[in-house]
Amino acid sequence: MNLPTAPSADGVWLHLRPVPELTVVDAPCAPDEPACVVVQGGMVRWVGPVRALPPACAAIPRHDARGALATPGLVDCHTHLVYGGQRANEFAMRLAGATYEEVAKAGGGIVSSVKATREASEDELFALAAPRLQALLDEGVCAIEIKSGYGLALPHERKQLRVARRLGEALGVTVRTTFLGAHAFPPEYAGRSQAYTDLVCHEMLPALAAEGLVDAVDVFCERIAFTLAETEQVFQAAQKLGIPVKLHAEQLSDMGGAALAARYGALSCDHIEHLSADGLAAMKAAGTVAVLLPGAYYTLRDTHLPPITQLREAGVPMAVSTDHNPGTSPALSLLLMANMACTLFRLTVPEALAGITTHAARALGLQDSHGLIASGRPANFVLWPLREAAELAYWFGHKPACTIVRQGRIHGVLP
Ligand code: NIG
Ligand code: FE
């Protein structure tokens, strides 16, 4: 697949208004002062007020941002973007009163997506996932995590992860892959959970890691999925290979998963509606990011809120993500998730914006390259036709006509 042939963003981007909390300037910039960002070789080289632009930049091309609001490229740190089929039937079942657990027990849920994913070829999965990814990119996403977990057998997990890598190359976006072989038990292992956990730990993970397909390892630790002991076995296998871990933790019940994940230095614990005080303290001590997924909370009509006040008071970084998946969060707008994080979870606007940028980058181990406008980083930023940063979380069902500089190339509407 060819790299995108979008125009280069090299040059001086003049007259923009970067969100101060999401920007590191190289020279002091007053709040209302027009700023500029210098891009060279696809990297941000200087950020500061137009009046202090280094003389060496005088001769390079100019792009007029016409006073646009500027944020770092958005980061979607938790998605299950690659799968076959869809599950609108479960939407109807839930509307008729069935719970997520009841749907799963009735043979729906993750296992029904496994069937459709196994039946699809690699090219078919790519063709299905590419427009989903494009929708997220069009809204300013510049880095994304994509999990496996709908294959649940080596060739099919490989197929999903290979599609994730191909998507990053074809669409020119940073993709972090996560192996989620421990998402559910495949039908052929019904009643043999230890045998499947062994397969995940001793065959699937080592093989896929050797192929360079695994940036992180995740587990769904839940009553309807993997126990705490099984989760720890997967974490041990990841640790042996030096691969960072993360966890679908305490979504439907408090399993003690967050504290376990923190002991393994997890990048993030995700969902965490039922997070305990001990789990929270362990995350704080380990520097683990809390990934909030309001799309799944909303779809499942959950009423048990994650402990936002306690996370805030403890200073645990909170990220916000789509959790795009065909069952519990068929969402393709990260800005909508920011809106829902404010409305449903009571995040402040600055928290929601950090949640889809800096903290999301941290949840992927990308804190040194993504999630901030700062020199020395690859050029990933978005120019928004908006007056105030709060508008990013305020509007919903609205795709602002933004200009996106992604991997040093210009996408979207030209300024
Ligand atoms: O993040 N909680 C488990 N995994 C997904 C749902 C997957 C599915 O239902 O297909 C989630 O919500
Ligand atoms: Fe998920």
Side-chain angles (χ1 to χ4, degrees), residues 19 61 76 86 110 126 164 207 216 247 301-302 322 330 413:
V19 177
D76 196 353
Q86 47 78 25
I110 294 168
F126 181 93
L247 190 66
R301 303 180 69 227
D302 201 347
T322 60
V413 179

Side-chain angles (χ1 to χ4, degrees), residues 78 80 248 271 323:
H78 178 140
H80 310 247
H248 279 74
H271 290 286
D323 188 16

Side-chain angles (χ1 to χ4, degrees), residues 194-259:
Q194 186 56 53
Y196 182 67
T197 308
D198 286 343
L199 182 76
V200 166
C201 296
H202 306 307
E203 291 185 37
M204 289 158 74
L205 174 57
L208 297 168
E211 293 169 38
L213 290 171
V214 182
D215 296 326
V217 172
D218 192 354
V219 178
F220 184 21
C221 180
E222 194 48 73
R223 291 187 301 235
I224 56 168
F226 290 74
T227 64
L228 199 62
E230 289 159 350
T231 301
E232 180 154 23
Q233 291 170 39
V234 180
F235 284 176
Q236 279 168 352
Q239 193 176 55
K240 219 167 114 195
L241 294 167
I243 302 174
V245 300
K246 45 180 56 224
L247 190 66
H248 279 74
E250 343 293 24
Q251 179 187 12
L252 310 171
S253 60
D254 178 15
M255 300 278 291

Side-chain angles (χ1 to χ4, degrees), residues 50-72:
V50 174
R51 61 168 169 80
L53 184 66
C57 298
I60 64 179
R62 280 158 195 258
H63 306 273
D64 190 350
R66 299 172 202 277
L69 183 78
T71 68

